[in-house]
Amino acid sequence: MVDNYYINTTNSIRRQILGLDALVRLEDKRMVPAINFDNAATTPAFKQVACEVMQKLKCYGSIGRGKGQKSEYSSEIYSRGREIVKSFVGANSDSYTVIYVNNTTDGMNKLASALIENPNDLVLTTRMEHHANDLPWRERAKTLYVEVDELGRLIIDDFERLLNDHDGKIKYVTVTAASNVTGYVNDVHYIAKIAHKYRAKIIVDGAQIVAHRPFSMLGRTPEESIDYFVFSAHKMYAPFGGGAVVGLTDELNRHIPKFYGGGMVDAVCDYIVNYGEAPDLYEAGSPNYPGVVGMLKAIEMLNSIGFDYVRSHEQQLLKYSLDELKQIPEVILYGDNQNFDDKVGLLVFNLRGITPENVANMLSAYSGIAVRHAAFCAHPYVRRLTEGLVTQGDVLCTPPQGMVRVSFGIYNNKAEVDSFLSTIKRIIRLGSTDARSDVGSAKSLSAIRLPNDRG
């Protein structure tokens, strides 16, 4: 009965996703529906998100810069959306503000450019991080790193040790809510409690959590609350370049990002500039209105579907996939694949004797399955998982070979997983002799047929 419920719910959700009926050309010239197992990189759009964007564009006017009816209409939606975002991430309206950004990378760079005042400022981050939550800090400040254990989980005691060792001089602790490599969900509220004990603020990369689990910036106690939370809409079924930083209003007003232009000022004179306050201070230039509209609709859709379903659905697909892959001797799995309650719906693996790139190419060429390969913009973390812990200084910095990543969305189903598993077995049967790097490399638009195409 439970399985039937999830099957019916998944089928209903699939009807709400744009592009699942688009066909792709395989190596044998057949046209088949594409299977997207690269949701951790970006998700397709909800049909209602696309419709909402098109509908709202009919009455689109300049945001905050005009008094015409369309401008007033668009400005109201844009402004009211901040409260929707705050509610989505459980933020207290009295303390937090919402800054619209293009994606998580954009948001992290804006935060780093504003919050870091001195290149000698200390920032504590981790070896689990995506480059978006590492490079902006290491380029502007001195960075310290919490290590991971042999299974790739954060060594939580490192937070306390490093904060204590530096005697309250660490200004910010920045950590991902969920890994884009292993899918581990970190207890960021517990980490926040440790950070606040040593007078540090906490910044959370929410890119991989917002489409998978409910999130609240408020903890059970004030010490457990999150100071800054950053996420992208293109990972939550609204790929229109939307995203947000939710952060402490008072502290944001004490800084200024290194991005300048119209809309962020109260007055400009010949030699003096009076800057405004957050959020306007962080949103110079014309805003990405379609991105905001799409994000707000995606929030509505995810809330309607419910995260209880999302989590249960992902766990079912993950368990089934892992149980089957464990039976294949040629498959090398990474991370903890026995205890995965603390993981969002993704897994990483390699096939013995075949490069990750060739595995990805053949999945695409033989079955139209899209996955991600290589190091997922998390090179230090991937090296630790594939090559063992790295504790010595770098001698030569080269990209790791990496792995293959399968990441599930709320619309993926068991039949798609079965196609993936059977294709993996086919790749193994063919062996490395057919593992050519050019397999599946077709880049012509003729390799895709949209639903309304003829011929």
Side-chain angles (χ1 to χ4, degrees):
M1 189 71 176
V2 174
D3 286 344
N4 286 336
Y5 164 76
Y6 281 106
I7 290 170
N8 292 336
T9 303
T10 304
N11 288 337
S12 173
I13 291 172
R14 287 180 68 83
R15 290 191 289 271
Q16 300 177 55
I17 299 293
L18 194 63
L20 296 190
D21 51 355
L23 304 179
V24 296
R25 179 172 287 116
L26 304 184
E27 193 179 40
D28 62 9
K29 309 304 181 186
R30 288 184 298 125
M31 301 294 289
V32 302
I35 296 174
N36 182 37
F37 282 162
D38 194 19
N39 294 283
T42 197
T43 55
F46 282 121
K47 290 178 181 177
Q48 290 190 44
V49 165
C51 289
E52 182 82 354
V53 170
M54 293 306 298
Q55 192 68 26
K56 291 292 191 291
L57 284 176
K58 293 178 181 178
C59 296
Y60 174 50
S62 62
I63 308 298
R65 290 171 171 83
K67 290 298 181 183
Q69 286 88 340
K70 287 187 175 182
S71 178
E72 294 277 11
Y73 174 80
S74 299
S75 297
E76 182 181 355
I77 290 171
Y78 187 82
S79 178
R80 192 172 65 233
R82 300 188 202 273
E83 296 304 316
I84 295 171
V85 172
K86 284 188 216 177
S87 176
F88 181 58
V89 300
N92 181 321
S93 295
D94 293 336
S95 302
Y96 295 101
T97 192
V98 171
I99 299 161
Y100 293 126
V101 293
N102 294 325
N103 46 58
T104 306
T105 303
D106 181 38
M108 284 297 179
N109 274 281
K110 282 187 175 177
L111 270 185
S113 76
L115 299 180
I116 301 303
E117 299 175 317
N118 188 305
N120 291 317
D121 286 348
L122 289 180
V123 175
L124 178 59
T125 183
T126 86
R127 293 301 187 189
M128 181 183 281
E129 302 309 309
H130 188 282
H131 294 164
N133 195 29
D134 179 3
L135 301 186
W137 306 106
R138 71 160 75 180
E139 290 298 325
R140 294 176 174 89
K142 290 186 176 179
T143 47
L144 305 167
Y145 293 90
V146 167
E147 267 295 353
V148 296
D149 63 21
E150 65 278 3
L151 290 175
R153 284 194 173 87
L154 291 179
I155 301 174
I156 299 298
D157 289 347
D158 268 6
F159 285 98
E160 181 100 32
R161 177 179 63 81
L162 289 165
L163 284 159
N164 182 61
D165 286 352
H166 289 83
D167 194 28
K169 294 179 181 177
I170 292 173
K171 287 193 170 185
Y172 299 99
V173 173
T174 183
V175 60
T176 185
S179 168
N180 73 312
V181 178
T182 52
Y184 293 139
V185 177
N186 294 317
D187 188 348
V188 294
H189 292 95
Y190 179 71
I191 296 169
K193 184 177 181 180
I194 300 172
H196 291 145
K197 176 181 174 182
Y198 293 91
R199 302 184 302 281
K201 293 289 195 297
I202 184 169
I203 300 157
V204 173
D205 175 352
Q208 295 294 336
I209 200 75
V210 285
H212 304 278
R213 303 280 177 88
F215 189 86
S216 176
M217 293 186 68
L218 298 182
R220 290 170 297 182
T221 65
E223 292 77 19
E224 293 184 352
S225 293
I226 306 304
D227 301 306
Y228 298 94
F229 184 75
V230 190
F231 67 95
S232 299
H234 74 95
K235 297 182 189 293
M236 48 185 283
Y237 309 96
F240 294 93
V245 173
V246 186
L248 296 171
T249 307
D250 289 345
E251 185 170 359
L252 287 169
N253 283 335
R254 289 195 292 269
H255 299 273
I256 184 168
K258 305 302 186 290
F259 298 84
Y260 303 96
M264 64 184 296
V265 297
D266 289 334
V268 178
C269 299
D270 286 359
Y271 302 102
I272 297 174
V273 178
N274 292 326
Y275 290 98
E277 295 184 337
D280 294 341
L281 181 61
Y282 292 77
E283 295 180 6
S286 296
N288 176 13
Y289 178 68
V292 171
V293 170
M295 176 172 63
L296 299 178
K297 189 63 178 182
I299 288 172
E300 178 186 324
M301 297 290 292
L302 286 169
N303 284 334
S304 175
I305 291 167
F307 283 100
D308 287 342
Y309 161 79
V310 174
R311 180 171 183 168
S312 297
H313 177 67
E314 286 182 1
Q315 287 287 307
Q316 285 191 19
L317 293 181
L318 188 58
K319 182 179 187 307
Y320 178 64
S321 301
L322 289 172
D323 285 348
E324 294 298 316
L325 288 172
K326 289 173 187 175
Q327 306 305 312
I328 305 174
E330 293 82 0
V331 172
I332 306 168
L333 291 165
Y334 298 93
D336 188 347
N337 297 295
Q338 301 298 328
N339 307 297
F340 48 84
D341 284 347
D342 65 338
K343 294 177 67 170
V344 296
L346 66 81
L347 60 91
V348 283
F349 73 98
N350 271 321
L351 296 185
R352 300 183 196 279
I354 307 177
T355 67
E357 181 180 7
N358 287 341
V359 173
N361 280 338
M362 288 187 284
L363 284 167
S364 174
Y366 299 156
S367 300
I369 298 172
V371 295
R372 177 80 183 273
H373 74 89
F376 323 120
C377 296
H379 292 187
Y381 189 36
V382 169
R383 281 196 193 92
R384 281 157 171 75
L385 291 165
T386 58
E387 303 168 17
L389 290 178
V390 180
T391 55
Q392 69 277 13
D394 295 328
V395 177
L396 180 65
C397 185
T398 59
Q401 177 174 276
M403 303 172 278
V404 180
R405 182 180 69 192
V406 172
S407 51
F408 302 120
I410 55 177
Y411 60 92
N412 291 126
N413 59 26
K414 182 176 177 291
E416 293 177 323
V417 175
D418 286 335
S419 178
F420 161 74
L421 293 167
S422 65
T423 308
I424 288 294
K425 293 173 183 176
R426 178 185 176 189
I427 292 170
I428 293 169
R429 286 196 306 270
L430 291 171
S432 59
T433 56
D434 196 38
R436 308 188 311 274
S437 62
D438 62 332
V439 171
S441 62
K443 297 178 181 178
S444 169
L445 289 176
S446 64
I448 299 175
R449 182 181 298 161
L450 300 180
N452 59 351
D453 283 355
R454 295 180 178 180

